[in-house]
Amino acid sequence: MNVPYVNLAAQHAPLKAELLRAAERVLVAGQFVLGPEVDEFEKRFAGLCRVPHAVGLNSGTDALILALRVLGIGPGDEVITAPNTFVATVSAIALTCAKPVLVDVRDDLNIDPALIEPAITPRTKAIIPVHLTGRPADMEPIMAIARRRDLYVVEDAAQAVLAEYDGRSVGSFGDLGCFSLHPLKTLNACGDAGVVTTADEGWAQRLRVLRNIGLETRDNAVAWAGNSRLDTLQAALVMVKLRHLAEWTEARRANAAFYRTALSDLPAVRVPAESPREKCVYHTFVVQAERRDELRAFLAGKGVGTAIHYPIPIHLQTAGLSLGYGKGAFPVAENQAARILSLPVHQGLRREEAEYVVAQIRAFYGL
Amino acid sequence: MKVPFSYLDRQFAEVNPYLADIGALVKCGDFTLGKALEEFEGRFAALLGVPHAIGVGTGTDAIAISLRLLGIGPGDEVITTPNTFIATVGAIVQAGARPVFVDSENGFVIDPDLIEPAITPRTRAIVPVHYTGNVADMPRIMAIARKHSLVVVEDACQAIMASIRGRLAGSWGHAAAFSLHPLKNLNVWGDAGVIVTRSAALAAKARLYRNHGLVGRDEVRTFGVNCRLDTLQAIIGNRLIGTTEAITRRRIEIARRYDESFRDLGEFIDVPVRRTGVRHVYHLYVVRAARRDELLAHLTANGVEAKVHYPIPVHLQKAARCLGYRRGDFPVAEKHGRVAVTLPCHPYLTDDEVSCAIDCVRGFYARAPLRSGS
């Protein structure tokens, strides 16, 4: 059996007719830049996250960069985040000329709130908790620290649309929430796209100016800025998929639940637990496995695609050397980097495929 | 008769081939980078006659990334003109540098005589803008840049296929930025831009930088951005790039008709400056007109969709307050803000529509129509 890690072709095949109709609608309207389609998408996305405002941008990375810019974060400032995230979280900080300050994560791959406070200095301006894998970070203590120390919170919810913590959507806790609609995300554009959510109308307005070359109206520029608009065409395409998002999310959760049960008796493979406070949406289903690389090769030989998110923590990347951390700085994240493996969990995964994956994992460990 | 400024409905009236291409992409799900983008970059480089073209998110990004990767940053000054679209300056600021303005000449491009006096010990780059589709005086600008060891990034966003003595805009500087915005001469269905350069090193850096600094999937060489030209847009670009020269010729033809039809209006209208040896591609056909606001109202009332690019020069924008310029600093750019008006000049206009626009302008200045009928 062949079980690919992702299958975008299979996801899109049944949507093709609807997607093409959406593309044609944009074309007939003749508006390829901003306009009613983007407005409508933003309204629906805000509703989805139960926040007052959503602003469509060119990518999740731009969402992080512009969120930091809106907060006035720049040279001399420090921003705290985790070392095991996708590089864009840290790049965004570095590109605003602030200093990324990394703290280690817990067993659930998310930032350890207990380590945040010791990392705060007089220059710290913000915390970026990452809802990695689609699991919400532990927002209650994080928000408490932020309030106590007067720090901004920018949620990196790139992997976590529809995830909840204490019944509240991610992206609604912090000052700003950053989402990605990259093709490999659960809610995916047919290209790069991103969104920022916020409860603050002033920040939403500022983001609309910053994404559009600083223009408040066609002829009035009120800030220097780049061009980071969510393509109108992509907004229309994503709206087709919005209708399916709840169902896709439940399918991923069901796949995760299946794996969790089916692998629960394997001491060599730790499956991610789910606390009652969390609703995880499983952008990735990451197990921590003994002999990970051998397992991965074995699975590949049996036709099972897997991935590693991510094999090298950011502080050990070439780009991260300038941050001045060495090997050993973040033992949990480093240890996980050698053990984590993402199993196929996408909404199109059939039960017999998941069963096959489990059977191959068991076979590898001689069970 | 209505003479529209936008032309997307006409350009894409036969939509099925595009939808078929998009359908094929949707079916394979290969939405990021990949073959279609590589093909587009190859064809774009060939069209420009330069070795490297790198697709990025927007024309603005193309300028900002070029500057940044050529080493321009905080503390550096970059010379450009306030007679441009705001994005040129936004890009300079994105790169961390300080924009320094010098006035433009009547052809809507930087006045080369004014560049050297603006150079300070902190000046690191010049961003000449080939605004409206005219070409800045690149031989002189390159000579100045060589003399003072400055980097030149051409803002060629509006000037694809424009040239000086046959040498294309975008092939002069260390790098050049193009835009494929839906209203550009070569356009796609959303935002997209291209960097072109002769430097293999810069091209490699740009490819890294636009994609998170990633080498392969897992190695991060440098902190970068996500600024890829969408593969979906590259597919549209591949369908259109072969038409660029034909589009350019038709624009030039319409511009020439306007020029000739306004010859006896010299006391009211200055047609676009045509320098010897320069191929102006008329992304915007901008005349400088007496009683501009009245003319604009007259054109609009008669269905001719004219526009003003742009009423407020960049140095007088609210965003520019921090730069400390004042009204009066750049008289040519300021005058253009008062007198410029852009007539529809796209290749999808019929001859009758062009005649209608011409006669509408002539009528406003109480001149007889050139032809009756429409």
Side-chain angles (χ1 to χ4, degrees):
Chain A
M1 190 183 278
N2 210 18
V3 186
Y5 179 69
V6 288
N7 194 343
L8 289 182
Q11 182 202 359
H12 286 85
L15 301 176
K16 190 179 142 189
E18 269 186 287
L19 291 170
L20 291 184
R21 271 200 302 279
E24 195 170 1
R25 188 177 71 230
V26 170
L27 183 69
V28 169
Q31 184 154 16
F32 287 126
V33 178
L34 300 177
E37 296 274 353
V38 173
D39 296 345
E40 177 63 23
F41 167 74
E42 291 177 339
K43 223 168 77 188
R44 289 199 208 170
F45 194 89
L48 203 66
C49 299
R50 290 169 283 168
V51 290
H53 307 284
V55 181
L57 302 171
N58 183 51
S59 71
T61 308
D62 282 356
L64 288 161
I65 294 171
L66 292 183
L68 294 174
R69 277 196 67 194
V70 160
L71 298 174
I73 288 165
D77 297 335
E78 294 178 3
V79 178
I80 294 173
T81 193
N84 64 338
T85 178
F86 181 59
V87 63
T89 319
V90 180
S91 305
I93 301 168
L95 290 172
T96 55
C97 297
K99 180 180 170 195
V101 172
L102 305 180
V103 305
D104 212 348
V105 296
R106 296 199 299 211
D107 189 54
D108 69 356
L109 307 179
N110 279 334
I111 193 165
D112 186 344
L115 301 177
I116 291 176
E117 206 141 12
I120 295 173
T121 76
R123 288 179 300 282
T124 307
K125 286 284 167 8
I127 308 168
I128 305 186
V130 183
H131 308 306
L132 203 69
T133 77
R135 172 183 308 279
D138 197 354
M139 292 309 291
E140 187 189 333
I142 293 170
M143 294 308 296
I145 295 165
R147 269 191 300 275
R148 194 161 60 239
R149 305 298 296 264
D150 196 21
L151 303 176
Y152 291 120
V153 173
V154 175
E155 293 175 72
D156 181 343
Q159 304 185 351
V161 64
L162 287 192
E164 293 177 7
Y165 178 92
D166 286 348
R168 263 176 75 182
S169 295
V170 299
S172 71
F173 288 86
D175 297 282
L176 299 147
C178 302
F179 292 83
S180 164
L181 307 174
H182 177 276
L184 290 175
K185 297 300 193 295
T186 306
L187 178 63
N188 51 357
C190 298
D192 284 311
V195 188
V196 172
T197 54
T198 182
D200 187 297
E201 192 181 347
W203 283 339
Q205 271 171 13
R206 185 71 180 166
L207 283 164
R208 294 204 162 89
V209 166
L210 292 181
R211 75 171 169 191
N212 193 25
I213 329 172
L215 290 172
E216 203 166 62
T217 61
R218 177 185 179 272
D219 294 323
N220 289 90
V222 296
W224 302 123
N227 176 346
S228 179
R229 303 178 282 234
L230 168 65
D231 269 341
T232 306
L233 182 58
Q234 298 293 356
L237 297 175
V238 176
M239 276 197 282
V240 170
K241 298 174 178 183
L242 265 183
R243 288 199 280 280
H244 304 276
L245 179 61
E247 162 208 333
W248 290 345
T249 301
E250 283 318 305
R252 283 172 178 262
R253 284 173 50 75
N255 290 335
F258 171 79
Y259 279 135
R260 193 156 34 234
T261 309
L263 294 169
S264 60
D265 63 328
L266 269 187
V269 175
R270 270 226 319 287
V271 293
E274 192 170 320
S275 98
R277 303 186 79 171
E278 305 166 346
K279 180 183 176 188
C280 307
V281 293
Y282 298 102
H283 168 62
T284 51
F285 185 83
V286 179
V287 299
Q288 298 182 42
E290 287 172 19
R291 296 157 56 210
R292 188 264 321 268
D293 292 339
E294 283 171 71
L295 170 63
R296 187 171 191 222
F298 177 83
L299 290 173
K302 300 293 182 185
V304 177
T306 58
I308 301 171
H309 299 97
Y310 301 92
I312 309 169
I314 289 165
H315 65 291
L316 301 178
Q317 292 280 2
T318 312
L321 296 179
S322 61
L323 303 177
Y325 301 105
K327 211 172 179 58
F330 307 107
V332 180
E334 289 171 33
N335 182 269
Q336 287 168 349
R339 299 170 54 85
I340 49 177
L341 186 68
S342 306
L343 304 181
V345 73
H346 61 87
Q347 61 267 21
L349 187 76
R350 287 176 289 122
R351 181 50 49 90
E352 61 265 33
E353 293 177 318
E355 282 167 354
Y356 177 79
V357 173
V358 169
Q360 295 312 319
I361 293 172
R362 301 182 77 88
F364 173 76
Y365 290 109
L367 292 165
Chain B
M1 182 182 279
K2 247 186 105 67
V3 185
F5 190 85
S6 174
Y7 46 82
L8 299 173
D9 53 338
R10 297 180 183 192
Q11 185 182 13
F12 301 114
E14 182 47 71
V15 70
N16 287 332
Y18 298 94
L19 292 182
D21 285 354
I22 293 177
L25 178 74
V26 161
K27 250 175 95 178
C28 77
D30 192 2
F31 295 124
T32 307
L33 302 175
K35 271 221 296 271
L37 179 58
E38 282 167 28
E39 180 195 337
F40 179 74
E41 291 175 334
R43 292 173 71 181
F44 198 93
L47 187 70
L48 268 294
V50 291
H52 308 286
I54 304 98
V56 294
T58 69
T60 312
D61 289 327
I63 301 169
I65 292 175
S66 297
L67 286 170
R68 195 174 279 181
L69 298 182
L70 286 164
I72 311 300
D76 297 336
E77 292 179 358
V78 176
I79 293 174
T80 192
T81 167
N83 202 0
T84 179
F85 181 50
I86 187 89
T88 314
V89 185
I92 292 168
V93 177
Q94 290 300 295
R98 181 185 175 83
V100 172
F101 295 140
V102 305
D103 209 351
S104 82
E105 39 141 299
N106 277 325
F108 290 83
V109 290
I110 193 165
D111 185 338
D113 291 338
L114 302 177
I115 294 176
E116 270 194 294
I119 292 174
T120 76
R122 287 179 303 282
T123 306
R124 294 284 316 284
I126 308 171
V127 178
V129 186
H130 306 313
Y131 191 49
T132 72
N134 195 9
V135 195
D137 189 345
M138 291 313 296
R140 281 192 62 196
I141 291 169
M142 292 313 293
I144 294 166
R146 269 191 300 275
K147 183 171 155 198
H148 297 273
S149 302
L150 304 178
V151 162
V152 175
V153 174
E154 295 173 72
D155 178 347
C157 286
Q158 303 191 348
I160 190 163
M161 304 311 285
S163 62
I164 301 179
R165 293 192 297 276
R167 183 163 168 191
L168 288 169
S171 70
W172 295 83
H174 299 91
F178 288 86
S179 165
L180 308 173
H181 178 279
L183 289 179
K184 292 300 193 293
N185 293 16
L186 172 61
N187 58 350
V188 295
W189 289 12
D191 283 312
V194 183
I195 297 169
V196 301
T197 180
R198 294 178 188 288
S199 160
L202 177 62
K205 274 190 195 172
R207 285 181 203 288
L208 202 60
Y209 189 77
R210 72 169 171 186
N211 191 30
H212 300 293
L214 282 168
V215 181
R217 183 185 170 279
D218 294 323
E219 191 200 338
V220 185
R221 189 75 56 84
T222 173
F223 289 126
V225 292
N226 177 347
C227 192
R228 306 176 280 238
L229 195 164
D230 269 345
T231 306
L232 179 55
Q233 304 295 357
I235 278 173
I236 306 291
N238 280 329
R239 219 164 234 296
L240 292 172
I241 194 167
T243 66
T244 313
E245 180 55 27
I247 285 170
T248 306
R249 288 193 181 155
R250 176 66 180 149
R251 283 179 179 268
I252 291 172
E253 184 187 325
I254 295 172
R256 185 155 288 133
R257 267 199 71 198
Y258 280 138
D259 280 5
E260 286 164 4
S261 307
F262 300 147
R263 200 169 279 156
D264 60 332
L265 295 180
E267 60 188 294
F268 307 116
I269 280 189
D270 291 315
V271 298
V273 173
R274 289 169 176 274
R275 304 200 318 274
T276 311
V278 170
R279 187 193 202 204
H280 189 319
V281 295
Y282 300 100
H283 170 62
L284 301 172
Y285 183 87
V286 184
V287 298
R288 289 155 288 148
R291 295 155 57 210
R292 191 268 313 270
D293 291 343
E294 285 170 70
L295 171 63
L296 182 67
H298 175 76
L299 289 166
T300 307
N302 287 283
V304 177
E305 237 186 303
K307 307 241 174 192
V308 175
H309 296 91
Y310 291 92
I312 308 169
V314 173
H315 69 287
L316 299 179
Q317 293 281 355
K318 192 170 158 197
R321 278 184 196 158
C322 59
L323 299 176
Y325 294 111
R326 280 194 305 253
R327 191 173 293 281
D329 284 348
F330 307 106
V332 177
E334 289 170 28
K335 181 176 172 220
H336 287 170
R338 292 190 302 272
V339 303
V341 60
T342 308
L343 301 179
C345 187
H346 56 80
Y348 308 95
L349 292 173
T350 64
D351 288 342
D352 275 354
E353 287 169 329
V354 176
S355 299
C356 172
I358 288 168
D359 288 345
C360 195
V361 173
R362 295 181 62 81
F364 176 73
Y365 293 112
R367 293 294 159 99
L370 281 188
R371 40 168 284 177
S372 53
S374 60

PDB file of all heavy atoms in Angstrom, chain A residues 86-109:
ATOM      1  N   PHE A  86       8.748  26.516  13.035  1.00  0.00           N
ATOM      2  CA  PHE A  86       9.216  26.770  11.679  1.00  0.00           C
ATOM      3  C   PHE A  86       9.991  28.078  11.693  1.00  0.00           C
ATOM      4  O   PHE A  86       9.665  28.996  12.438  1.00  0.00           O
ATOM      5  CB  PHE A  86       8.023  26.851  10.705  1.00  0.00           C
ATOM      6  CG  PHE A  86       8.428  27.095   9.289  1.00  0.00           C
ATOM      7  CD1 PHE A  86       9.268  26.204   8.639  1.00  0.00           C
ATOM      8  CD2 PHE A  86       8.002  28.216   8.594  1.00  0.00           C
ATOM      9  CE1 PHE A  86       9.676  26.417   7.329  1.00  0.00           C
ATOM     10  CE2 PHE A  86       8.396  28.440   7.283  1.00  0.00           C
ATOM     11  CZ  PHE A  86       9.232  27.534   6.661  1.00  0.00           C
ATOM     12  N   VAL A  87      11.014  28.143  10.860  1.00  0.00           N
ATOM     13  CA  VAL A  87      11.954  29.260  10.931  1.00  0.00           C
ATOM     14  C   VAL A  87      11.288  30.629  10.824  1.00  0.00           C
ATOM     15  O   VAL A  87      11.795  31.621  11.359  1.00  0.00           O
ATOM     16  CB  VAL A  87      13.042  29.123   9.840  1.00  0.00           C
ATOM     17  CG1 VAL A  87      12.441  29.194   8.448  1.00  0.00           C
ATOM     18  CG2 VAL A  87      14.121  30.160  10.016  1.00  0.00           C
ATOM     19  N   ALA A  88      10.131  30.707  10.154  1.00  0.00           N
ATOM     20  CA  ALA A  88       9.512  32.016   9.910  1.00  0.00           C
ATOM     21  C   ALA A  88       9.208  32.766  11.197  1.00  0.00           C
ATOM     22  O   ALA A  88       9.266  34.002  11.230  1.00  0.00           O
ATOM     23  CB  ALA A  88       8.244  31.844   9.086  1.00  0.00           C
ATOM     24  N   THR A  89       8.885  32.064  12.266  1.00  0.00           N
ATOM     25  CA  THR A  89       8.604  32.735  13.538  1.00  0.00           C
ATOM     26  C   THR A  89       9.814  33.569  13.966  1.00  0.00           C
ATOM     27  O   THR A  89       9.686  34.723  14.371  1.00  0.00           O
ATOM     28  CB  THR A  89       8.305  31.703  14.654  1.00  0.00           C
ATOM     29  OG1 THR A  89       7.494  30.658  14.131  1.00  0.00           O
ATOM     30  CG2 THR A  89       7.629  32.356  15.836  1.00  0.00           C
ATOM     31  N   VAL A  90      10.984  32.951  13.861  1.00  0.00           N
ATOM     32  CA  VAL A  90      12.205  33.625  14.301  1.00  0.00           C
ATOM     33  C   VAL A  90      12.678  34.644  13.253  1.00  0.00           C
ATOM     34  O   VAL A  90      13.126  35.734  13.593  1.00  0.00           O
ATOM     35  CB  VAL A  90      13.296  32.587  14.618  1.00  0.00           C
ATOM     36  CG1 VAL A  90      14.574  33.274  15.092  1.00  0.00           C
ATOM     37  CG2 VAL A  90      12.798  31.615  15.691  1.00  0.00           C
ATOM     38  N   SER A  91      12.552  34.294  11.973  1.00  0.00           N
ATOM     39  CA  SER A  91      12.916  35.249  10.912  1.00  0.00           C
ATOM     40  C   SER A  91      12.144  36.549  11.080  1.00  0.00           C
ATOM     41  O   SER A  91      12.692  37.640  10.918  1.00  0.00           O
ATOM     42  CB  SER A  91      12.565  34.705   9.520  1.00  0.00           C
ATOM     43  OG  SER A  91      13.138  33.462   9.299  1.00  0.00           O
ATOM     44  N   ALA A  92      10.853  36.411  11.383  1.00  0.00           N
ATOM     45  CA  ALA A  92      10.012  37.608  11.503  1.00  0.00           C
ATOM     46  C   ALA A  92      10.576  38.541  12.569  1.00  0.00           C
ATOM     47  O   ALA A  92      10.632  39.756  12.373  1.00  0.00           O
ATOM     48  CB  ALA A  92       8.580  37.213  11.841  1.00  0.00           C
ATOM     49  N   ILE A  93      11.009  37.962  13.671  1.00  0.00           N
ATOM     50  CA  ILE A  93      11.601  38.785  14.739  1.00  0.00           C
ATOM     51  C   ILE A  93      12.900  39.410  14.248  1.00  0.00           C
ATOM     52  O   ILE A  93      13.126  40.616  14.374  1.00  0.00           O
ATOM     53  CB  ILE A  93      11.860  37.936  16.002  1.00  0.00           C
ATOM     54  CG1 ILE A  93      10.553  37.318  16.507  1.00  0.00           C
ATOM     55  CG2 ILE A  93      12.522  38.775  17.092  1.00  0.00           C
ATOM     56  CD1 ILE A  93      10.743  36.231  17.563  1.00  0.00           C
ATOM     57  N   ALA A  94      13.753  38.574  13.652  1.00  0.00           N
ATOM     58  CA  ALA A  94      15.057  39.065  13.189  1.00  0.00           C
ATOM     59  C   ALA A  94      14.891  40.148  12.124  1.00  0.00           C
ATOM     60  O   ALA A  94      15.642  41.119  12.083  1.00  0.00           O
ATOM     61  CB  ALA A  94      15.893  37.906  12.648  1.00  0.00           C
ATOM     62  N   LEU A  95      13.891  39.987  11.255  1.00  0.00           N
ATOM     63  CA  LEU A  95      13.717  40.947  10.162  1.00  0.00           C
ATOM     64  C   LEU A  95      13.170  42.286  10.634  1.00  0.00           C
ATOM     65  O   LEU A  95      13.326  43.290   9.955  1.00  0.00           O
ATOM     66  CB  LEU A  95      12.810  40.360   9.082  1.00  0.00           C
ATOM     67  CG  LEU A  95      13.452  39.209   8.297  1.00  0.00           C
ATOM     68  CD1 LEU A  95      12.440  38.543   7.391  1.00  0.00           C
ATOM     69  CD2 LEU A  95      14.652  39.681   7.503  1.00  0.00           C
ATOM     70  N   THR A  96      12.522  42.306  11.797  1.00  0.00           N
ATOM     71  CA  THR A  96      12.127  43.607  12.337  1.00  0.00           C
ATOM     72  C   THR A  96      13.295  44.221  13.117  1.00  0.00           C
ATOM     73  O   THR A  96      13.146  45.265  13.728  1.00  0.00           O
ATOM     74  CB  THR A  96      10.909  43.490  13.281  1.00  0.00           C
ATOM     75  OG1 THR A  96      11.219  42.537  14.293  1.00  0.00           O
ATOM     76  CG2 THR A  96       9.672  43.043  12.554  1.00  0.00           C
ATOM     77  N   CYS A  97      14.444  43.545  13.081  1.00  0.00           N
ATOM     78  CA  CYS A  97      15.664  44.005  13.751  1.00  0.00           C
ATOM     79  C   CYS A  97      15.571  43.890  15.267  1.00  0.00           C
ATOM     80  O   CYS A  97      16.391  44.449  15.990  1.00  0.00           O
ATOM     81  CB  CYS A  97      16.071  45.426  13.345  1.00  0.00           C
ATOM     82  SG  CYS A  97      16.468  45.540  11.599  1.00  0.00           S
ATOM     83  N   ALA A  98      14.553  43.191  15.764  1.00  0.00           N
ATOM     84  CA  ALA A  98      14.517  42.880  17.193  1.00  0.00           C
ATOM     85  C   ALA A  98      15.353  41.626  17.425  1.00  0.00           C
ATOM     86  O   ALA A  98      15.768  40.963  16.483  1.00  0.00           O
ATOM     87  CB  ALA A  98      13.082  42.669  17.649  1.00  0.00           C
ATOM     88  N   LYS A  99      15.588  41.311  18.716  1.00  0.00           N
ATOM     89  CA  LYS A  99      16.412  40.140  19.033  1.00  0.00           C
ATOM     90  C   LYS A  99      15.509  38.976  19.424  1.00  0.00           C
ATOM     91  O   LYS A  99      14.729  39.089  20.386  1.00  0.00           O
ATOM     92  CB  LYS A  99      17.358  40.495  20.186  1.00  0.00           C
ATOM     93  CG  LYS A  99      18.253  39.341  20.593  1.00  0.00           C
ATOM     94  CD  LYS A  99      19.164  39.742  21.748  1.00  0.00           C
ATOM     95  CE  LYS A  99      19.864  38.498  22.293  1.00  0.00           C
ATOM     96  NZ  LYS A  99      20.458  38.743  23.593  1.00  0.00           N
ATOM     97  N   PRO A 100      15.614  37.854  18.699  1.00  0.00           N
ATOM     98  CA  PRO A 100      14.847  36.689  19.117  1.00  0.00           C
ATOM     99  C   PRO A 100      15.475  36.084  20.366  1.00  0.00           C
ATOM    100  O   PRO A 100      16.680  35.835  20.413  1.00  0.00           O
ATOM    101  CB  PRO A 100      14.991  35.711  17.934  1.00  0.00           C
ATOM    102  CG  PRO A 100      15.622  36.497  16.818  1.00  0.00           C
ATOM    103  CD  PRO A 100      16.402  37.606  17.471  1.00  0.00           C
ATOM    104  N   VAL A 101      14.653  35.879  21.396  1.00  0.00           N
ATOM    105  CA  VAL A 101      15.103  35.208  22.620  1.00  0.00           C
ATOM    106  C   VAL A 101      14.331  33.900  22.699  1.00  0.00           C
ATOM    107  O   VAL A 101      13.097  33.906  22.708  1.00  0.00           O
ATOM    108  CB  VAL A 101      14.835  36.083  23.857  1.00  0.00           C
ATOM    109  CG1 VAL A 101      15.129  35.310  25.136  1.00  0.00           C
ATOM    110  CG2 VAL A 101      15.683  37.353  23.781  1.00  0.00           C
ATOM    111  N   LEU A 102      15.067  32.777  22.728  1.00  0.00           N
ATOM    112  CA  LEU A 102      14.409  31.483  22.670  1.00  0.00           C
ATOM    113  C   LEU A 102      14.329  30.872  24.063  1.00  0.00           C
ATOM    114  O   LEU A 102      15.241  31.053  24.880  1.00  0.00           O
ATOM    115  CB  LEU A 102      15.173  30.556  21.718  1.00  0.00           C
ATOM    116  CG  LEU A 102      15.377  31.115  20.302  1.00  0.00           C
ATOM    117  CD1 LEU A 102      16.154  30.121  19.436  1.00  0.00           C
ATOM    118  CD2 LEU A 102      14.041  31.444  19.642  1.00  0.00           C
ATOM    119  N   VAL A 103      13.216  30.191  24.327  1.00  0.00           N
ATOM    120  CA  VAL A 103      13.118  29.393  25.552  1.00  0.00           C
ATOM    121  C   VAL A 103      12.617  28.013  25.164  1.00  0.00           C
ATOM    122  O   VAL A 103      11.938  27.844  24.167  1.00  0.00           O
ATOM    123  CB  VAL A 103      12.206  30.040  26.622  1.00  0.00           C
ATOM    124  CG1 VAL A 103      12.646  31.452  26.936  1.00  0.00           C
ATOM    125  CG2 VAL A 103      10.756  30.012  26.203  1.00  0.00           C
ATOM    126  N   ASP A 104      12.954  27.042  25.994  1.00  0.00           N
ATOM    127  CA  ASP A 104      12.694  25.643  25.652  1.00  0.00           C
ATOM    128  C   ASP A 104      11.199  25.322  25.710  1.00  0.00           C
ATOM    129  O   ASP A 104      10.394  26.127  26.178  1.00  0.00           O
ATOM    130  CB  ASP A 104      13.488  24.724  26.591  1.00  0.00           C
ATOM    131  CG  ASP A 104      13.900  23.427  25.898  1.00  0.00           C
ATOM    132  OD1 ASP A 104      13.397  23.145  24.792  1.00  0.00           O
ATOM    133  OD2 ASP A 104      14.732  22.683  26.483  1.00  0.00           O
ATOM    134  N   VAL A 105      10.882  24.131  25.214  1.00  0.00           N
ATOM    135  CA  VAL A 105       9.487  23.705  25.127  1.00  0.00           C
ATOM    136  C   VAL A 105       9.231  22.577  26.113  1.00  0.00           C
ATOM    137  O   VAL A 105      10.157  22.054  26.742  1.00  0.00           O
ATOM    138  CB  VAL A 105       9.154  23.233  23.696  1.00  0.00           C
ATOM    139  CG1 VAL A 105       9.276  24.390  22.728  1.00  0.00           C
ATOM    140  CG2 VAL A 105      10.061  22.075  23.272  1.00  0.00           C
ATOM    141  N   ARG A 106       7.966  22.192  26.246  1.00  0.00           N
ATOM    142  CA  ARG A 106       7.591  21.063  27.082  1.00  0.00           C
ATOM    143  C   ARG A 106       7.423  19.824  26.207  1.00  0.00           C
ATOM    144  O   ARG A 106       7.598  19.872  24.996  1.00  0.00           O
ATOM    145  CB  ARG A 106       6.274  21.378  27.814  1.00  0.00           C
ATOM    146  CG  ARG A 106       6.410  22.531  28.766  1.00  0.00           C
ATOM    147  CD  ARG A 106       5.297  22.548  29.806  1.00  0.00           C
ATOM    148  NE  ARG A 106       3.978  22.688  29.216  1.00  0.00           N
ATOM    149  CZ  ARG A 106       2.962  23.295  29.826  1.00  0.00           C
ATOM    150  NH1 ARG A 106       3.136  23.819  31.039  1.00  0.00           N
ATOM    151  NH2 ARG A 106       1.790  23.376  29.274  1.00  0.00           N
ATOM    152  N   ASP A 107       7.020  18.758  26.866  1.00  0.00           N
ATOM    153  CA  ASP A 107       6.862  17.507  26.138  1.00  0.00           C
ATOM    154  C   ASP A 107       5.839  17.625  25.000  1.00  0.00           C
ATOM    155  O   ASP A 107       5.903  16.907  24.014  1.00  0.00           O
ATOM    156  CB  ASP A 107       6.437  16.404  27.105  1.00  0.00           C
ATOM    157  CG  ASP A 107       6.478  15.048  26.435  1.00  0.00           C
ATOM    158  OD1 ASP A 107       7.550  14.709  25.874  1.00  0.00           O
ATOM    159  OD2 ASP A 107       5.452  14.344  26.418  1.00  0.00           O
ATOM    160  N   ASP A 108       4.890  18.558  25.134  1.00  0.00           N
ATOM    161  CA  ASP A 108       3.860  18.698  24.092  1.00  0.00           C
ATOM    162  C   ASP A 108       4.325  19.557  22.919  1.00  0.00           C
ATOM    163  O   ASP A 108       3.519  19.939  22.077  1.00  0.00           O
ATOM    164  CB  ASP A 108       2.569  19.256  24.684  1.00  0.00           C
ATOM    165  CG  ASP A 108       2.717  20.715  25.122  1.00  0.00           C
ATOM    166  OD1 ASP A 108       3.838  21.267  25.045  1.00  0.00           O
ATOM    167  OD2 ASP A 108       1.710  21.307  25.542  1.00  0.00           O
ATOM    168  N   LEU A 109       5.612  19.867  22.862  1.00  0.00           N
ATOM    169  CA  LEU A 109       6.254  20.622  21.777  1.00  0.00           C
ATOM    170  C   LEU A 109       5.972  22.125  21.830  1.00  0.00           C
ATOM    171  O   LEU A 109       6.444  22.872  20.990  1.00  0.00           O
ATOM    172  CB  LEU A 109       5.856  20.101  20.386  1.00  0.00           C
ATOM    173  CG  LEU A 109       6.035  18.610  20.080  1.00  0.00           C
ATOM    174  CD1 LEU A 109       5.541  18.330  18.655  1.00  0.00           C
ATOM    175  CD2 LEU A 109       7.503  18.189  20.196  1.00  0.00           C
TER     176      LEU A 109
END
